[in-house]
Amino acid sequence: KFFTVYLNKEIADLIDEKRLEYREQLFEIEFNSNCKSYSFKTSSADLMRARSNIINNSFEAKQIDKKLVLKIDLIADSRGCLIRISDNAIGISSEVLSKLGKVKISTKSGKKGKGSGTGLYSAYFTIANLGGRLSVNSKIDIGTVVEIRLYEI
């Protein structure tokens, strides 16, 4: 079954949710888009959960004495839409990056109650089931960029 997903509205709603959820932290969220609605073979909830997990990772990896800057860009092109989520959090080592999507792995083991590695792992599979692609680039102490490529049906 195919669902129409209104990416702009869904991302705006997700940002509102995260502003409330993390209201006691120091952060800013920038959102830019040139996307429209798309039809995908998934429920809107699956895609929202994948994006939410990625954004939660940014907050959980926030540097202690630094304002988190989270940028979300929706970029439409002839193939569909690219969702780029970038942050200035602690980053991910190349060793951990090479394992992402293959095993459940967490970089937050030292933080109380944080991180089982399930969020990003399930996001990989959710996006793959859509026929899309999820990629992660990161540098320690610089931040992380997660790109979700979705192809319109």
Side-chain angles (χ1 to χ4, degrees), residues 39-54:
S39 295
F40 300 112
K41 190 176 179 181
T42 187
S43 75
S44 174
D46 291 340
L47 190 54
M48 182 65 82
R49 187 169 35 270
R51 293 182 306 231
S52 182
N53 287 338
I54 292 165

Side-chain angles (χ1 to χ4, degrees), residues 8-119:
N8 289 325
K9 180 180 180 345
E10 288 191 5
I11 293 289
D13 290 347
L14 182 60
I15 289 169
D16 288 344
E17 176 186 313
K18 297 305 172 187
R19 284 191 171 125
L20 183 61
E21 183 178 349
Y22 294 104
R23 66 185 170 271
E24 296 186 16
Q25 292 192 29
L26 181 60
F27 69 93
E28 78 178 67
I29 300 175
E30 298 174 20
F31 175 47
N32 300 296
S33 175
N34 72 343
C35 282
K36 57 181 178 82
S37 61
Y38 290 94
S39 295
F40 300 112
K41 190 176 179 181
T42 187
S43 75
S44 174
D46 291 340
L47 190 54
M48 182 65 82
R49 187 169 35 270
R51 293 182 306 231
S52 182
N53 287 338
I54 292 165
I55 292 170
N56 287 343
N57 285 345
S58 294
F59 279 97
E60 292 167 5
K62 178 184 175 294
Q63 296 184 43
I64 294 170
D65 296 327
K66 192 173 180 182
K67 177 181 181 180
L68 176 68
V69 177
L70 189 62
K71 295 179 184 176
I72 303 170
D73 297 304
L74 303 182
I75 304 162
D77 61 26
S78 61
R79 299 180 294 170
C81 191
L82 177 70
I83 302 169
R84 181 180 299 130
I85 302 169
S86 60
D87 67 42
N88 66 335
I90 61 171
I92 304 169
S93 72
S94 57
E95 177 188 350
V96 172
L97 274 175
S98 68
K99 296 176 185 175
L100 291 179
K102 298 177 184 121
V103 295
K104 292 179 186 175
I105 188 164
S106 176
T107 60
K108 300 173 282 263
S109 58
K111 295 185 178 183
K112 185 178 178 182
K114 300 283 184 189
S116 65
T118 304

